[in-house]
Amino acid sequence: MTSIMTEANQGLLDRIPQQPVPEDLAEDYATTGYPFTRDAKMKMRNVNVFYGEKQAIYNVSMDISKKEVLAMIGPSGCGKSTFLRSLNRMNDTVEGCRVEGDFSLDSDNIYDPKMDVIELRARVGMVFQKPNPFPKSIYDNVAYGPKLLGVYNHRSELDELITVSLQRAGLWDEVKDRLHQPGTGLSGGQQQRLCIARCIAVSPEVILMDEPCSALDPIATARIEELIGELAENYTIAIVTHSMQQAARVSNRTAYFHLGKLIEINDTNKVFTAPEHELTEAYITGRFG
Amino acid sequence: MQATNLLILILVMAAIAYLIGRGRALSVAQPLGGIRHLHSLPYYYGMRAAIWCFIPSISLLILWVTLDENVITALLLADIPAEIKPATESDQNLLFNQLENIISGAISVERVTPAIAAAAERLEGLRQTGYWLMLAVICSAGALGGIWGWLKISPRLRARQQVEKVFVAFLIICASVAILTTVGIVFSVIFESVRFFNKVPVADFAFGLEWSPQTAIRSDQVGSSGAFGAVPLFVGTMMVSAIAMLVAVPVGLMSAIYLTEYAKPRVRALAKPMLEILAGIPTVVYGFFAALTVAPYLRDLGANIGLQVSSESALAAGLVMGVMIIPFVSSLADDVITAVPRAMYDGSLALGATQSETIIRVVFPAALPGIVGGVLLAVSRAVGETMIVVMAAGLAAKLTANPLDSLTTVTVQIVTLLVGDQEFDSPKTLAAFALGLMLFLVTLCLNVIALRVVKKYREQYD
């Protein structure tokens, strides 16, 4: 039922005590800070997500602005991954998951029954917690999406697309001589950059990243963070992370989730230097997980 | 019967040894201030005493039961009167049958010579003595073992480790039973095959194109000299197996994909057990289904569209065998498809692939080695399957490539060679062992390849 939440946060659940929501906040779903922007790429209004009977997200409303990097932080089980996965309807594949509320990508309603989920996912790409290259060659991994969508006319166009994608993902120099070797043979950090290359090969408008560095070592993590900064010039990025330092380093805005509610969303600087909400402050100062 | 009684007795003694051993451990612990001052828990001391009682006595019992009859025979023959002393082995068997009958009362004592009556009496006497002796020896062995185990109990005794070792030894014995049985079967088949190949050259057997195992038993009999070319049989086996795989692999694979990827949990909960029921149907039932339902149907169907279908056809046997193997393929494929990590699906779906694109381009290639391994295991099942082909494929060893014709397989021929009255040293019966050996080698190779492929697949995600 809660497979995604537990999957994403496994290992942390047992050592992080869940804090009960203070009495005075229980009825107050209002979010502190600036959830809405003038230049929104995605708009989410009154979002509720349920796993069977259990509610995972409570009445979240916010925007993701064009070409910004939005970080989502919060303790384990707070619903940030669930929220992220509802943005490209990956939650559709989860048994018993129900999503309510209005989602729009530019002017298109994401949860419109007429919405083509396949096209949506090509527009809103996703990078996962654990690098998940297909058991194919590096070339075929990146070519996977373009081949499905048929976005090229000649083999040379595809080659060009793959080169550009790998270059943008900062992987080209490391793999240009072994494009036809299996992607699973790369190191963890390289695999994750391969997954990013695979994602940008279908020219998404938004890239969702679900703890993209949690399975990587510090050097690979630094490489990916640098890459996120570069990608932000062309793409809108929403990243879920457990590392507050990472959020502080890569994002423009930071959203703090707590027990399924969006507590505060503000400029990253402000969140980490002068949080407005007591829960945010408690979290970033490390009073709880 | 006697051995059974003794076995019960030994178990009772072991139980007593356990109780008193445990009791002694407890009483030893008492003055020290409780069982925490013992090296092991009290029941380990009990177990150790019980093992000391059980193992010597049970080994003696097994040894005794094995040697008992030989010793008694030797003793009896040693001082038997010269006039009834058997000259040959068959005479000896005859004599002992007679004695046996006298003891059981089937032959009355008046009807035999006094020497034989005396011998019978002596045999029974020897058996009685033997029984009591065995009882005494085993009981004392058990008692001595138990007492030894009991005496050695002290707080520092490492009973736990010793019991553990015995347990491991027991597990090793159990594991080696299966292995030794396999080795035994292989060797018996090899020895009999060697006898066969002494009479029929290996090349004739392996490459001969004619199979007609009837040989003349007596010299005045009109019979063929026998031809032992196994090629038609192996061609038949391959044909039936190929037809079976043509049915089982696509159907099994598709149903596995449907059940793992598309079916709702309720459908899956219903359909999967139903599919697996197929695996529970005895093959003999499949056999008469093939022979009495499918084969005539195919023959009539063939007649309607102007095809000559024999009433026992490779097609009928192969189709039904394929149905039989479906659950085998589908459950293996199910396992390997489920083993493909969820991250692969998510990665593909997130790139805008549909479910079927994901299955064809990601899941299937990732699961392919596992599926190939499963299919090879299924092939070796098809090759070894007997009952369906016995009933539905026919007996005529024809070298044909026509699936509508009747043909015969290796397993069918093994059955027919060994059924009925046979001499066990004629090439005809020995041929069964040679066929068995060939079949064994084929399935062995398939299994080895299959296991290798499956193993290679397993390494992929770790």
Side-chain angles (χ1 to χ4, degrees):
Chain A
M1 198 176 74
T2 57
S3 67
I4 292 188
M5 292 164 60
T6 49
E7 219 173 78
N9 303 330
Q10 231 161 29
L12 287 160
L13 273 181
D14 47 359
R15 50 191 176 80
I16 296 166
Q18 288 291 327
Q19 298 288 314
V21 179
E23 295 268 346
D24 57 322
L25 198 84
E27 296 161 25
D28 180 18
Y29 285 179
T31 302
T32 311
Y34 303 97
F36 308 122
T37 65
R38 205 165 288 167
D39 197 17
K41 180 72 186 171
M42 296 184 89
K43 289 181 185 168
M44 281 66 70
R45 296 291 179 269
N46 306 320
V47 173
N48 289 292
V49 181
F50 304 84
Y51 289 116
E53 293 296 303
K54 192 169 168 278
Q55 187 161 3
I57 296 285
Y58 295 85
N59 209 40
V60 169
S61 296
M62 65 184 280
D63 289 345
I64 302 176
S65 174
K66 276 187 184 128
K67 296 187 183 173
E68 78 165 335
V69 179
L70 174 76
M72 300 183 193
I73 59 171
S76 290
C78 69
K80 53 196 189 306
S81 286
T82 301
F83 185 70
L84 189 79
R85 291 178 63 113
S86 60
L87 299 183
N88 69 344
R89 294 183 60 173
M90 283 302 282
N91 279 342
D92 288 12
T93 61
V94 179
E95 206 74 51
C97 181
R98 188 158 53 84
V99 180
E100 287 175 1
D102 299 322
F103 294 74
S104 58
L105 172 63
D106 292 331
S107 57
D108 303 322
N109 178 359
I110 291 174
Y111 280 83
D112 189 331
K114 285 186 213 131
M115 181 72 189
D116 182 357
V117 183
I118 308 305
E119 190 204 314
L120 169 73
R121 291 190 188 138
R123 289 173 66 188
V124 183
M126 191 158 197
V127 176
F128 295 85
Q129 182 175 11
K130 206 176 155 232
N132 58 347
F134 303 128
K136 300 169 181 284
S137 70
I138 294 167
Y139 183 95
D140 285 336
N141 260 286
V142 185
Y144 187 86
K147 276 184 180 170
L148 282 177
L149 301 174
V151 290
Y152 60 96
N153 296 321
H154 298 289
R155 185 82 189 179
S156 57
E157 279 179 51
L158 180 64
D159 289 344
E160 176 65 25
L161 181 57
I162 283 161
T163 311
V164 170
S165 303
L166 284 169
Q167 276 166 346
R168 282 195 179 179
L171 192 61
W172 175 250
D173 291 333
E174 291 158 64
V175 301
K176 62 185 174 200
D177 301 324
R178 47 168 172 159
L179 286 177
H180 294 282
Q181 282 170 23
T184 43
L186 297 172
S187 75
Q190 289 173 326
Q191 287 189 6
Q192 194 61 299
R193 275 180 279 148
L194 177 62
C195 292
I196 292 172
R198 188 173 76 181
C199 177
I200 56 188
V202 294
S203 320
E205 297 156 31
V206 181
I207 301 175
L208 308 175
M209 296 185 173
D210 189 357
E211 298 181 39
C213 302
S214 64
L216 305 180
D217 64 62
I219 292 169
T221 300
R223 190 76 192 78
I224 302 267
E225 285 177 6
E226 194 184 316
L227 178 59
I228 291 172
E230 290 161 16
L231 291 175
E233 290 166 18
N234 297 306
Y235 306 96
T236 302
I237 296 172
I239 174 170
V240 163
T241 175
H242 263 124
S243 155
M244 282 178 273
Q245 291 84 343
Q246 184 170 69
R249 283 191 298 261
V250 303
S251 68
N252 310 113
R253 274 200 310 161
T254 298
Y256 173 66
F257 283 77
H258 187 91
L259 296 182
K261 301 186 181 79
L262 176 57
I263 303 296
E264 177 165 354
I265 176 166
N266 239 328
D267 281 344
T268 298
N269 272 337
K270 184 147 174 44
V271 168
F272 286 102
T273 53
E276 288 178 15
H277 199 285
E278 57 192 284
L279 279 171
T280 319
E281 189 183 0
Y283 181 70
I284 62 162
T285 53
R287 261 185 282 152
F288 58 86
Chain B
M1 199 56 217
Q2 296 168 344
T4 321
N5 291 341
L6 272 172
L7 191 64
I8 292 168
L9 187 69
I10 290 172
L11 287 174
V12 170
M13 288 202 314
I16 293 169
Y18 171 77
L19 289 174
I20 61 167
R22 186 166 167 274
R24 184 172 152 96
L26 284 172
S27 60
V28 164
Q30 202 75 47
L32 293 174
I35 56 166
R36 68 204 166 87
H37 294 283
L38 293 175
H39 174 271
S40 314
L41 285 173
Y43 81 89
Y44 278 111
Y45 293 97
M47 289 289 282
R48 186 176 172 279
I51 288 167
W52 267 107
C53 169
F54 183 77
I55 289 184
S57 49
I58 197 80
S59 335
L60 270 175
L61 178 65
I62 292 169
L63 200 66
W64 197 292
V65 169
T66 336
L67 298 179
D68 191 32
E69 209 52 37
N70 294 343
V71 173
I72 288 177
T73 311
L75 282 176
L76 187 74
L77 290 176
D79 54 357
I80 206 160
E83 71 264 29
I84 59 167
K85 186 150 188 149
T88 64
E89 200 177 330
S90 52
D91 280 351
Q92 186 185 322
N93 288 340
L94 219 55
L95 176 70
F96 271 86
N97 264 336
Q98 204 178 10
L99 297 181
E100 216 64 69
N101 284 330
I102 295 166
I103 291 168
S104 69
I107 300 177
S108 79
V109 189
E110 288 91 53
R111 292 178 52 197
V112 295
T113 62
I116 291 204
E121 210 167 296
R122 177 155 166 73
L123 178 62
E124 208 188 353
L126 279 171
R127 281 195 180 153
Q128 282 293 332
T129 325
Y131 178 62
W132 289 113
L133 202 60
M134 171 163 73
L135 194 63
V137 167
I138 283 168
C139 282
S140 41
L144 283 175
I147 290 166
W148 170 255
W150 183 76
L151 279 176
K152 288 288 278 182
I153 291 171
S154 77
R156 304 294 344 136
L157 178 69
R158 298 177 171 221
R160 203 168 157 209
Q161 278 87 333
Q162 295 180 1
V163 170
E164 186 74 17
K165 272 182 197 157
V166 172
F167 186 66
V168 171
F170 177 71
L171 292 183
I172 290 174
I173 291 170
C174 288
S176 39
V177 165
I179 295 168
L180 289 177
T181 312
T182 315
V183 173
I185 290 174
V186 171
F187 274 100
S188 83
V189 170
I190 288 177
F191 286 136
E192 298 295 327
S193 305
V194 168
R195 286 175 66 192
F196 172 74
F197 289 127
N198 284 338
K199 301 186 184 195
V200 178
V202 181
D204 286 7
F205 177 74
F207 304 110
L209 299 181
E210 201 190 333
W211 177 263
S212 148
Q214 293 307 329
T215 44
I217 295 173
R218 298 187 309 274
S219 51
D220 58 333
Q221 217 170 17
V222 181
S224 59
S225 56
F228 294 96
V231 171
L233 308 188
F234 280 92
V235 168
T237 297
M238 278 193 285
M239 166 99 79
V240 174
S241 304
I243 295 169
M245 297 323 287
L246 281 179
V247 175
V249 172
V251 177
L253 217 52
M254 297 301 156
S255 59
I257 289 174
Y258 172 72
L259 287 177
T260 49
E261 303 293 324
Y262 290 97
K264 293 203 167 61
R266 279 181 57 190
V267 178
R268 186 175 154 88
L270 201 70
K272 209 164 152 39
M274 281 180 65
L275 192 63
E276 274 156 13
I277 285 175
L278 279 180
I281 298 175
T283 55
V284 67
V285 175
Y286 280 112
F288 65 71
F289 175 66
L292 302 181
T293 310
V294 177
Y297 173 76
L298 288 176
R299 186 195 55 209
D300 296 346
L301 192 71
N304 285 342
I305 58 172
L307 278 173
Q308 178 76 37
V309 183
S310 125
S311 58
E312 286 182 321
S313 63
L315 189 60
L319 287 178
V320 174
M321 195 194 281
V323 172
M324 185 195 81
I325 298 173
I326 288 172
F328 195 73
V329 175
S330 83
S331 83
L332 279 167
D334 195 319
D335 290 348
V336 292
I337 290 174
T338 323
V340 174
R342 182 73 216 171
M344 295 290 144
Y345 295 84
D346 283 353
S348 172
L349 292 177
L351 287 170
T354 65
Q355 208 168 353
S356 69
E357 283 166 343
T358 302
I359 291 163
I360 294 167
R361 290 166 183 253
V362 176
V363 178
F364 197 72
L368 191 63
I371 290 170
V372 170
V375 167
L376 285 177
L377 287 177
V379 171
S380 64
R381 266 205 75 176
V383 167
E385 169 53 34
T386 311
M387 222 47 230
I388 294 174
V389 275
V390 165
M391 292 169 124
L395 290 173
K398 279 183 231 167
L399 190 58
T400 171
N402 178 5
L404 305 178
D405 207 347
S406 79
L407 45 70
T408 192
T409 69
V410 177
T411 49
V412 171
Q413 285 308 310
I414 293 177
V415 170
T416 49
L417 289 173
L418 294 180
V419 168
D421 295 334
Q422 305 290 349
E423 301 176 86
F424 268 85
D425 53 356
S426 75
K428 187 181 160 189
T429 43
L430 290 175
F433 290 98
L435 288 176
L437 183 66
M438 292 278 280
L439 202 57
F440 174 75
L441 289 177
V442 170
T443 49
L444 184 74
C445 289
L446 285 174
N447 283 348
V448 168
I449 296 170
L451 289 176
R452 288 240 162 161
V453 173
V454 171
K455 194 175 162 202
K456 194 176 165 222
Y457 161 75
R458 282 211 184 107
E459 288 165 353
Q460 203 160 10
Y461 297 111
D462 293 334

